[in-house]
Amino acid sequence: INRNVSGNPDAPVVLQAWEDFLCPACGSWNQMIKPRLMDNYITEGKIQLEFRHFPLSQHEPGASTAAQSAECAGDQGAFWPMHDKLFAGQNSGAAAFSAERMIEYAEELGLDSRTFTQCLTGQQHFDTVRGSLNQAMSLGLNSTPSLLINGQLVDNPMDYDAVSAEIDRLLAAAGQ
């Protein structure tokens, strides 16, 4: 099972969210848009949501540390809970994205902290995060959050009505 995927794996519509855990707009998207998509589409099994890492250079080193911590949590089946903790931590500023804080988050989530710490400090998911970043670049993405619905970039990811209209259009085209 893909740790960074939520919803129906066979859905005709795939929403890719390319995000940076330190990006304030991504934080807003996760508070305002994602819950409505969860309620109306994802938990209903109508679409699949894929989280993709896009750590921005201006947010380093925290952005990559956060991305790797989500993957380390994913090793223990807790990708999405860590994802939510990381976005919630934005209000605490840069201190929220230290390795020490990530380890605290892992402990709060009940993960094996020794395994998590070894994963994070050993940068076991460096290549995963770097590969995702390289893919974002090759797609020509230049901001976060970048939303792709069935491979097409959404003009305004913060406009729920526009996002849902495009999802509805594609679902209708797929006979759903």
Side-chain angles (χ1 to χ4, degrees):
I1 186 158
N2 285 336
R3 63 181 72 209
N4 61 329
V5 173
S6 183
N8 178 359
D10 301 318
V13 177
V14 177
L15 171 64
Q16 284 184 348
W18 295 80
E19 301 183 74
D20 174 337
F21 286 113
L22 276 74
C23 149
C26 297
S28 298
W29 191 84
N30 276 277
Q31 285 180 327
M32 326 241 301
I33 309 295
K34 182 174 166 251
R36 294 173 69 185
L37 292 172
M38 287 300 287
D39 290 346
N40 297 324
Y41 297 102
I42 299 164
T43 52
E44 298 285 315
K46 294 178 181 173
I47 71 169
Q48 177 180 311
L49 172 67
E50 281 181 21
F51 178 91
R52 297 297 184 95
H53 298 290
F54 190 7
L56 301 175
S57 56
Q58 65 263 37
H59 293 150
E60 294 299 8
S64 286
T65 302
Q68 290 182 52
S69 80
E71 291 294 333
C72 289
D75 289 347
Q76 299 186 46
F79 179 90
W80 290 104
M82 180 62 87
H83 163 284
D84 294 345
K85 265 198 181 295
L86 290 166
F87 277 119
Q90 275 191 355
N91 305 334
S92 316
F97 297 96
S98 65
E100 294 76 22
R101 185 63 62 84
M102 304 290 150
I103 293 162
E104 284 173 22
Y105 288 164
E107 288 167 351
E108 288 167 17
L109 292 171
L111 304 183
D112 179 315
S113 73
R114 187 160 171 265
T115 304
F116 178 88
T117 302
Q118 286 175 336
C119 175
L120 188 61
T121 57
Q123 296 204 16
Q124 288 173 17
H125 290 289
F126 179 87
D127 291 343
T128 306
V129 173
R130 179 64 42 182
S132 185
L133 174 63
N134 291 341
Q135 194 182 356
M137 303 288 205
S138 71
L139 288 168
L141 305 180
N142 56 20
S143 63
T144 54
S146 285
L147 294 191
L148 274 66
I149 303 179
N150 286 3
Q152 293 297 310
L153 187 64
V154 174
D155 289 334
N156 184 359
M158 304 307 281
D159 180 349
Y160 177 80
D161 293 334
V163 173
S164 68
E166 179 61 10
I167 292 171
D168 291 341
R169 187 185 73 75
L170 290 165
L171 286 172
Q176 303 269 321

